[in-house]
């Protein structure tokens, strides 16, 4: 079976297919059910960053014409994945149950694509989001055999197409889909869905700094898994997991979200399995990821993307200015990063604007009582800001420590602010959580979640995040210690003397 799988994977590539410029226009039209009021366009996008607006009418009909368009996979908002190519005259209708039907030139290819996506559930228990927990109870030979049958089914679909590029794309997507299924199977094999949900709830509420935290977490995790791999089984699944992944597949990188998801997973695995973290490696995940991008992702397009992604993420998180300066200068001095250097400079400039001693940006957000709270109105005291959300597990694990710290510093010259980045549609969930946990301090919610100016000016793209300001409204730390870190209390007591 291994040889059969290996042979199939090696025949599904796109490496021989180049990028070609086409001049024929593409026409796209159709209808979606129950369009949102005031929405006038749908977004057509590709994972490479391409975006275009598609005109949407009040009755749910949409239409657009594109003078030039590369053949490949696209995503149309509220419709889903489409395959578009030059000279297509495609019509798409989404019924009230979410099922897509196609007419016009390009209908055959899109029907095959749609069928291949929907058909995975015929072979393993799955939903559009991936395998269901029933799949993780399947024996390994059965699971692998079913994935093989799925690829065979898709290959037959592809064989009936006159478009060789589409056929290669469809086969490649099937291989990538099996890779993602194997990845999930490797993680969740033998998991009990109810017990695993209880484990995640325990993780959200658990104090990881408690003396027995590690043992309790390990015990809860083991209880959530009724079966586990033997050493040989683990080796077999690991050997198959990335067989379909080519690190230089630019075509898939530019059009396939499945390819990027699998490559992301491969990078994380390489960091841990190569011993790149810890005393003998790098001190944090971002530096290890940058190393992988520099040494193993040799294609300039793919390597450049990941060098920027990991370097920019780390630049936003680094606490020490000298280390941030070193990373920035290294990135900017490398000519292979030229395409991303303007973006990196913009991030660095924002960081410079909120360094220690700089005046903090202001905000004016809705508070828990329905009024407005301005950050600048809190001047005269130190201000410690917790940027969080109700959906963020690590954020909620810090809350008991924050509550304890507030009580210990009660009456001191400091105000505690909790800024929720929950979406406005989840405002009631935020209010309910604040009431349930009896959270104190100044409770406010962002008007645009992560997209509000205050959050953007602080380069916040991950939470929890903590900010400390002095009584004049100047930055003490744009990335302060967490409430669970004893160093925070020591720092605050020193400042408040």
């Amino acid at each position: 079976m291994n040889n059969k799988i290996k042979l199939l994977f090696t025949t599904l590539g796109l490496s021989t297919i180049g990028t070609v410029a086409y001049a024929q226009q593409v026409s796209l039209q159709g209808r979606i059910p129950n369009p949102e009021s005031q929405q006038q366009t749908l977004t057509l996008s590709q994972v490479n960053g391409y975006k275009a607006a598609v005109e949407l009418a009040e009755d749910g009909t949409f239409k657009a014409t594109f003078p030039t368009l590369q053949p490949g996979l696209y995503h149309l908002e509220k419709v889903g994945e489409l395959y578009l190519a030059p000279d297509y005259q495609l019509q798409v209708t989404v019924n009230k149950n979410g099922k897509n039907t196609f007419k016009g030139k390009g209908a055959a290819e899109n029907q095959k694509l749609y069928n291949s996506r929907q058909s995975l559930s015929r072979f393993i228990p799955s939903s559009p989001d991936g395998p269901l927990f029933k799949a993780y109870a399947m024996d390994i030979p059965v699971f692998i055999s079913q994935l093989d049958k799925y690829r065979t089914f898709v290959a037959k679909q592809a064989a009936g197409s006159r478009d060789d590029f589409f056929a290669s794309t469809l086969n490649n997507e099937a291989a990538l889909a099996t890779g993602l299924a194997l990845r999930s199977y490797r993680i969740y094999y033998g998991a009990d869905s109810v017990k695993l949900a209880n484990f995640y709830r325990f993780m959200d509420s658990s104090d990881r700094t408690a003396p027995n935290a590690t043992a309790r977490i390990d015990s809860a995790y083991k209880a959530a898994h009724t079966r586990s791999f033997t050493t040989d089984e683990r080796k077999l699944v690991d050997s198959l997991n990335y067989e379909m992944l080519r690190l230089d597949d630019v075509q898939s990188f530019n059009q396939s979200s499945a390819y990027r998801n699998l490559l992301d997973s491969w990078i994380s695995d390489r960091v841990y399995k190569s011993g790149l973290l810890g005393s003998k490696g790098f001190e944090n995940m971002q530096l290890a990821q940058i190393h992988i991008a520099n040494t193993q992702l040799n294609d300039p397009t793919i390597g450049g993307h990941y060098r920027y992604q990991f370097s920019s993420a780390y630049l936003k998180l680094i606490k020490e200015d000298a280390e941030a300066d070193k990373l920035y200068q290294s990135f900017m001095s490398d000519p292979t990063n030229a395409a991303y250097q303007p973006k990196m400079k913009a991030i660095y400039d924002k960081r410079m604007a909120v360094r220690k001693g700089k005046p903090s940006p202001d905000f004016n957000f809705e508070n828990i009582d329905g009024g407005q709270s301005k950050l600048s109105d809190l001047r005269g005291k130190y201000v410690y800001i917790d940027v969080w959300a109700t959906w963020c597990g690590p954020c909620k694990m810090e809350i008991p420590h924050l509550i304890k710290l507030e009580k210990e510093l009660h009456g001191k010259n400091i105000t505690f602010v909790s800024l929720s980045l929950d979406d406005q549609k989840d405002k009631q969930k935020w209010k309910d959580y604040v009431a349930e946990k009896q959270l104190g301090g100044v409770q406010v919610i962002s008007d645009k979640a992560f997209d509000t100016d205050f959050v953007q000016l602080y380069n916040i793209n991950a939470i929890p995040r903590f900010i400390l300001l002095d009584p004049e409204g100047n930055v003490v730390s744009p990335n302060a210690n967490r409430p669970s870190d004893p160093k925070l209390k020591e720092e605050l007591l020193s400042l408040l003397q």
Side-chain angles (χ1 to χ4, degrees), residues 194-489:
V194 175
K195 292 181 179 178
L196 193 63
N198 290 336
F199 166 73
Y200 286 131
R201 280 194 289 270
F202 171 75
M203 289 289 288
D204 279 351
S205 60
S206 175
D207 178 1
R208 295 192 190 185
T209 64
N212 63 342
T214 301
R216 292 181 64 202
I217 290 172
D218 184 61
S219 175
Y221 180 80
K222 289 179 178 177
H225 290 76
T226 59
R227 303 168 68 184
S228 59
F229 290 129
T230 65
T231 301
D232 289 341
E233 288 172 339
R234 169 71 67 180
K235 288 180 178 178
L236 172 61
V237 175
D238 283 349
S239 71
L240 298 176
N241 200 182
Y242 298 114
E243 277 197 315
M244 71 296 296
L245 181 68
R246 295 191 315 282
L247 303 183
D248 61 350
D249 188 353
V250 179
Q251 187 66 60
S252 292
F253 177 78
N254 281 331
Q255 69 167 343
S256 173
S257 59
Y259 177 84
R260 294 200 180 198
N261 288 339
L262 199 60
L263 184 53
D264 288 346
S265 177
W266 178 86
I267 292 170
S268 294
D269 279 358
R270 291 299 298 169
V271 168
Y272 289 110
K273 292 182 178 179
S274 300
L276 293 176
L277 287 177
S279 59
K280 296 183 179 180
F282 296 96
E283 63 184 28
N284 58 58
M285 172 65 82
Q286 289 79 20
L287 287 175
Q289 290 171 327
I290 293 170
H291 175 76
I292 293 288
N294 284 332
T295 59
Q296 300 190 45
L297 301 181
N298 298 321
D299 177 84
T301 298
I302 298 174
H305 166 84
Y306 280 103
R307 278 196 303 275
Y308 168 72
Q309 178 176 302
F310 299 142
S311 297
S312 62
Y314 189 40
L315 184 61
K316 294 176 181 180
L317 294 174
I318 298 174
K319 291 188 176 183
E320 299 298 328
D321 288 340
E323 188 178 353
D325 293 341
K326 180 179 178 181
L327 173 69
Y328 175 71
Q329 295 301 332
S330 175
F331 188 91
M332 298 300 284
S333 63
D334 186 344
T336 62
N337 295 327
Y340 293 97
Q341 286 171 352
K343 291 182 178 180
M344 194 70 163
K345 183 178 184 302
I347 293 171
Y348 182 75
D349 288 346
K350 285 183 179 180
R351 181 185 175 94
M352 290 288 288
V354 292
R355 283 193 170 191
K356 183 176 181 179
K358 297 286 187 179
S360 172
D362 200 2
F363 65 61
N364 187 11
F365 292 139
E366 181 180 347
N367 59 43
I368 195 66
D369 298 318
Q372 296 293 123
S373 291
K374 290 186 67 176
L375 179 59
S376 54
D377 288 343
L378 302 178
R379 289 176 184 169
K381 292 186 176 184
Y382 284 93
V383 178
Y384 183 75
I385 305 171
D386 171 13
V387 186
W388 72 295
T390 61
W391 48 260
C392 171
C395 300
K396 291 188 286 187
M397 285 192 291
E398 292 294 327
I399 289 177
H401 302 283
L402 180 63
I403 293 173
K404 180 181 178 183
L405 187 63
E406 286 184 61
K407 290 180 179 178
E408 291 174 342
L409 298 181
H410 181 71
K412 301 286 187 180
N413 192 40
I414 186 169
T415 298
F416 291 89
V417 176
S418 294
L419 167 57
S420 168
L421 300 190
D422 283 289
D423 289 329
Q424 282 290 308
K425 63 181 179 61
D426 295 323
K427 187 189 298 183
Q428 190 58 49
K429 183 185 296 185
W430 164 66
K431 289 184 176 181
D432 292 343
Y433 190 88
V434 171
E436 176 191 348
K437 301 298 181 180
Q438 299 181 341
L439 303 184
V442 179
Q443 299 288 332
V444 294
I445 185 169
S446 167
D447 55 345
K448 299 176 184 176
F450 278 88
D451 293 329
T452 197
D453 288 345
F454 180 83
V455 173
Q456 289 296 306
L457 290 170
Y458 271 101
N459 274 328
I460 298 175
N461 65 343
I463 52 177
R465 176 74 171 270
F466 303 93
I467 300 166
L468 180 61
L469 308 180
D470 70 16
E472 287 72 44
N474 297 320
V475 176
V476 175
S477 175
N479 192 0
N481 291 319
R482 298 183 175 208
S484 59
D485 187 340
K487 292 180 182 178
L488 175 63
K489 182 179 177 182

Side-chain angles (χ1 to χ4, degrees), residues 60-73:
T61 57
F62 59 85
K63 61 179 180 179
T65 300
F66 305 95
T68 58
L69 207 61
Q70 294 287 347
L73 299 174

